[in-house]
Amino acid sequence: MAEKSQMEQHLQNSVYGTPMVHPDEQRHYLGTFRERVSLAMTIAEVTNAQNVRTFTREISAHPDLQVIFNGHIDQSDLAPYLKATGQHNLKFTIRQDDFYGHQAADLGLVVASDHAIDQNPITLTAKYPTKPTQATPPTKKSGWLTRLFGHH
C-alpha cells in the first residue's frame, strides 16, 4: 500500500483529529500514559474527603508534576484538591470529554509528569496503604493449671 502524501495526511488529521498512540491507555489515565503517572485516584477516592491529606502529601513531595482532573466529578468534591493544587503552584488540567469515565472505579485524578517516570505503585491504596487502627493487645491465655487452681 502506498504511503499517504503529506497533504492527504494533513487533511485526514484535520477531519478526524490526530491519531492517538495507545488511545485506551490515554483514556484510562485522563489523557496521559501510565509511565508518566505518579499517583492515580479513582472517582470514589477523590470524593472521599479523607484522601485530600494524602493527595497533598504526594504533590508536596513532587512539586514539578501536574494534576489532571476528571471533569465529571462534582465541583464541590474537586474543590479541596484544586485548592491544594493552587497552594502548591502546580499546573492542572480538567478533562471533561465524554470518553473519560463517570463510574466510581474510573480515574478521578492523576498526578503526572510530562515525561516517563515509571513510578510503581501508583494507585492510592497501594502507594499509601491505610494504617490499621490501634489494636488492643491480645489477652494472655492462662494455662490449665492456673485455671484449675485459680491463681493468676
Side-chain angles (χ1 to χ4, degrees):
M1 184 163 144
E3 288 187 38
K4 292 183 181 179
S5 71
Q6 275 189 315
M7 181 56 90
E8 286 178 31
Q9 186 65 42
H10 180 73
L11 287 172
Q12 288 288 326
N13 290 348
S14 296
V15 172
Y16 301 109
T18 306
M20 292 175 74
V21 177
H22 303 290
D24 291 335
E25 179 181 358
Q26 286 191 42
R27 264 192 291 286
H28 180 72
Y29 292 105
L30 303 177
T32 192
F33 298 104
R34 160 64 181 89
E35 64 197 18
R36 297 179 177 186
V37 176
S38 174
L39 176 68
M41 293 174 61
T42 64
I43 291 175
E45 291 167 339
V46 171
T47 57
N48 181 346
Q50 295 176 342
N51 292 326
V52 175
R53 181 178 291 139
T54 306
F55 169 76
T56 304
R57 193 166 122 198
E58 175 73 15
I59 62 174
S60 296
H62 304 287
D64 55 330
L65 300 181
Q66 63 182 339
V67 183
I68 305 169
F69 294 102
N70 186 330
H72 299 295
I73 299 174
D74 190 71
Q75 201 64 27
S76 61
D77 290 322
L78 281 183
Y81 296 94
L82 288 165
K83 181 179 178 185
T85 301
Q87 288 173 339
H88 287 83
N89 296 318
L90 264 70
K91 295 180 200 174
F92 70 91
T93 304
I94 299 176
R95 301 279 165 86
Q96 294 184 317
D97 296 318
D98 286 335
F99 54 77
Y100 295 122
H102 299 81
Q103 305 301 316
D106 292 323
L107 291 185
L109 75 78
V110 171
V111 179
S113 176
D114 59 355
H115 61 278
I117 53 176
D118 293 316
Q119 291 278 317
N120 208 7
I122 61 167
T123 61
L124 179 75
T125 53
K127 192 167 189 175
Y128 297 101
T130 55
K131 295 176 183 160
T133 56
Q134 192 70 4
T136 56
T139 56
K140 193 172 187 178
K141 292 186 177 183
S142 54
W144 66 274
L145 280 176
T146 306
R147 287 188 301 235
L148 180 66
F149 294 109
H151 299 292
H152 294 283

